[in-house]
Amino acid sequence: MKSTRNPGIARSISAVLYIFVGICLIGSIISSDPASAGFCILALISFLATVLCENCFKVYFTPFIRIIIQLFIFSALILGEMCFLYGRVKIWDVLLHFTSGFIFGAVGVSLCIRLNKKTLDSMGLSPAFIVIAIIGFSVFVGVIWEFFEFICDNSFQTDMQKDSFIDSIYSITLDSRGENHTAKIYGIDSFSVQGQIYKGGYLDIGLIDTMKDMAVNFAGAIVFRIILLIHLNKKSRFTALFIKEKTA
């Protein structure tokens, strides 16, 4: 607990991440890998986001939350994209979306305090309303991200909304009666695209991945909600790790 409340230790961890990303950037440039270099540059810019938020927009985070945000960025861009843990570790994407739901819960609280220029207690709002608003903000950011993935996939031929193999589908379109009945097709073990047969089942293009991402994002927001409820009812050293009520 002491270490994560200590700004000095938070700065040290941040410095290590900056150095590591800097080394990766130099390595990417030497090896003529523009994609990896781009991820490194994006990571460094994202690291500066919390500094910009605090110094320019007066949106404050605890040292612990700043560490989580920077580790999240590092895990997504460096480990996930450069080291391809998205493909090598099946739950990597799930863990990151869960963490993002938690992080944006914290961001929502900080924004709420900044915009109202009051602490949570002095706003005169019920704890239930604050909690619902924060969950709504976190889920809203998750939905915007899914919009971004959809636009990238359809405009730039990426595959951010990952495909999933399924062995059954339920479709009105495929119903031979031409009425509002659902055709149920089970035991699908392959599909064909332009004469090429692919094994594994029917290919769901993005829907399952999108819904899974939104579900785990919501779960992360719920976890932060529990911490926020504890904080609103009784502030403690534990909740102070996550919520910084600084108004100016």
Side-chain angles (χ1 to χ4, degrees):
M1 293 260 181
K2 182 178 179 180
S3 63
T4 50
R5 292 198 306 271
N6 191 325
I9 292 185
R11 284 194 293 267
S12 298
I13 295 174
S14 179
V16 170
L17 292 175
Y18 272 104
I19 292 170
F20 194 91
V21 175
I23 293 172
C24 291
L25 175 59
I26 294 171
S28 299
I29 294 173
I30 293 174
S31 61
S32 300
D33 185 351
S36 295
F39 287 129
C40 291
I41 293 171
L42 182 58
L44 292 173
I45 294 173
S46 300
F47 283 167
L48 294 173
T50 54
V51 178
L52 183 66
C53 285
E54 296 199 345
N55 293 338
C56 297
F57 302 108
K58 309 303 179 185
V59 178
Y60 299 103
F61 305 102
T62 67
F64 185 59
I65 289 296
R66 284 199 298 272
I67 292 171
I68 292 179
I69 292 174
Q70 292 188 340
L71 287 174
F72 170 79
I73 295 167
F74 182 80
S75 299
L77 294 176
I78 305 303
L79 298 180
E81 296 290 352
M82 284 186 62
C83 300
F84 194 53
L85 290 192
Y86 285 123
R88 295 173 179 171
V89 181
K90 290 185 177 181
I91 65 169
W92 194 255
D93 187 54
V94 173
L95 291 174
L96 289 180
H97 276 280
F98 177 87
T99 305
S100 71
F102 185 91
I103 287 173
F104 282 107
V107 172
V109 169
S110 298
L111 281 175
C112 185
I113 293 170
R114 170 56 183 156
L115 293 174
N116 289 280
K117 298 182 179 179
K118 294 180 179 180
T119 62
L120 295 174
D121 291 336
S122 62
M123 287 181 192
L125 301 173
S126 70
F129 180 85
I130 294 174
V131 166
I132 292 171
I134 297 307
I135 291 177
F137 175 80
S138 182
V139 173
F140 168 75
V141 174
V143 170
I144 294 299
W145 177 256
E146 295 303 324
F147 287 167
F148 172 74
E149 288 190 348
F150 177 80
I151 291 170
C152 287
D153 289 352
N154 284 271
S155 300
F156 305 108
Q157 290 77 53
T158 60
D159 187 22
M160 298 184 72
Q161 295 178 300
K162 299 297 186 289
D163 306 330
S164 302
F165 282 111
I166 56 177
D167 60 7
S168 59
I169 57 175
Y170 312 95
S171 170
I172 291 177
T173 302
L174 298 180
D175 182 59
S176 60
R177 292 166 289 183
E179 299 176 0
N180 192 27
H181 298 287
T182 302
K184 302 176 178 63
I185 304 173
Y186 301 102
I188 303 172
D189 58 7
S190 64
F191 69 100
S192 174
V193 177
Q194 296 180 340
Q196 176 69 44
I197 297 177
Y198 296 89
K199 300 293 185 180
Y202 173 73
L203 192 65
D204 170 82
I205 304 178
L207 176 61
I208 293 176
D209 178 76
T210 296
M211 298 308 298
K212 176 194 67 180
D213 290 347
M214 292 177 66
V216 295
N217 177 276
F218 180 72
I222 291 295
V223 171
F224 188 84
R225 167 214 172 188
I226 294 171
I227 295 172
L228 180 58
L229 274 175
I230 295 172
H231 181 80
L232 290 171
N233 285 283
K234 184 179 180 181
K235 295 178 176 58
S236 66
R237 297 174 66 185
F238 172 73
T239 61
L241 291 171
F242 305 93
I243 300 167
K244 185 173 186 177
E245 295 196 56
K246 185 176 179 179
T247 59

